[in-house]
Amino acid sequence: MRRIYHRFPQSIDLDFELVRPFREVLACIARMHDTHTTVRGADGLVKERMLVQVADGRTQFLDLDALVPLAERVSEMADFRIDLQRTLLTPEKRLPVKENVFFLRIVDKGPVTECYVAKEGRSGDLDAMDLRTMLKGACE
């Protein structure tokens, strides 16, 4: 079943292909969901977390945990909302630093998968090329 979002942005920031079948790309995206890393930044430790949601009913997004296994419930085309959150970890509290939200559409083109990326808003310090790099790294 196609899982598309009717308000997917018309203005695309980046269009690229992954030389992987559609189902493999779905598996890569599912592996990226709810992952985090901790890196040392200028102000201290920073936790980077990635949350992935998939389009549901053309009008909203659903957490990937509610749609397992993903490959059996999605075919042809899928829209995702990817939220990349950064939090500064201090001994007293956690402080949100940045949030980057992207829309990602993947389309089955046989042996390759076409990907379209659009950033939501102007906040955050990442762009569509950063998301492309993360997605390519997860699929390698």
Side-chain angles (χ1 to χ4, degrees), residues 28-35 50-53 63-65:
C28 294
I29 292 170
R31 281 193 306 268
M32 291 169 45
H33 172 62
D34 204 15
T35 59
M50 181 180 294
L51 297 172
V52 181
Q53 298 175 315
D63 196 26
L64 277 189
D65 295 335

Side-chain angles (χ1 to χ4, degrees), residues 65-99:
D65 295 335
L67 196 66
V68 176
L70 186 62
E72 293 178 11
R73 299 186 182 219
V74 178
S75 62
E76 297 176 39
M77 181 186 300
D79 289 347
F80 296 92
R81 184 176 183 271
I82 300 176
D83 188 2
L84 302 164
Q85 303 169 345
R86 290 187 176 167
T87 305
L88 178 64
L89 304 175
T90 65
E92 300 83 33
K93 57 189 167 196
R94 296 170 187 230
L95 302 169
V97 178
K98 303 233 187 245
E99 184 173 29

Side-chain angles (χ1 to χ4, degrees), residues 85-132:
Q85 303 169 345
R86 290 187 176 167
T87 305
L88 178 64
L89 304 175
T90 65
E92 300 83 33
K93 57 189 167 196
R94 296 170 187 230
L95 302 169
V97 178
K98 303 233 187 245
E99 184 173 29
N100 296 277
V101 178
F102 294 94
F103 290 105
L104 170 67
R105 173 172 285 168
I106 61 172
V107 181
D108 188 357
K109 298 286 185 182
V112 299
T113 301
E114 187 79 23
C115 302
Y116 303 94
V117 179
K119 185 168 183 180
E120 181 180 67
R122 298 188 187 274
S123 67
D125 58 343
L126 299 177
D127 61 11
M129 288 297 288
D130 295 316
L131 183 65
R132 175 183 176 251

